[in-house]
Amino acid sequence: MQISEFTQSKLDYFEIMCNFTEEELTLFRFRADGKTLDECAETMHRSLDSVKALSRKVNAKIEQEL
């Protein structure tokens, strides 16, 4: 799933309805801006594996709202 491909109104909806943690919301916003997982890991000072795991959580929450 490419978060950056959602419309702004859908992104706004997900931010409200998905009950993201702070870290999940940070990743969600970075991905909405089109950053890669590698870029997110570097910016968030996390390992790529940690960001991938976090991304799976974000995606699961989004899928529940689709």
Side-chain angles (χ1 to χ4, degrees), residues 23 27 31 36-58:
E23 197 169 38
L27 179 62
R31 298 293 285 158
T36 65
L37 289 177
D38 285 323
E39 292 170 327
C40 293
E42 185 175 326
T43 304
M44 295 173 72
H45 307 287
R46 300 281 184 253
S47 71
L48 181 57
D49 286 340
S50 294
V51 171
K52 284 180 179 179
L54 191 62
S55 181
R56 285 189 291 274
K57 291 178 183 179
V58 168

Side-chain angles (χ1 to χ4, degrees), residues 16-43:
I16 294 166
M17 300 304 293
C18 287
N19 196 31
F20 292 128
T21 65
E22 284 269 334
E23 197 169 38
E24 290 169 348
L25 184 57
T26 298
L27 179 62
F28 173 79
R29 288 177 176 162
F30 284 154
R31 298 293 285 158
D33 288 339
K35 288 189 182 213
T36 65
L37 289 177
D38 285 323
E39 292 170 327
C40 293
E42 185 175 326
T43 304

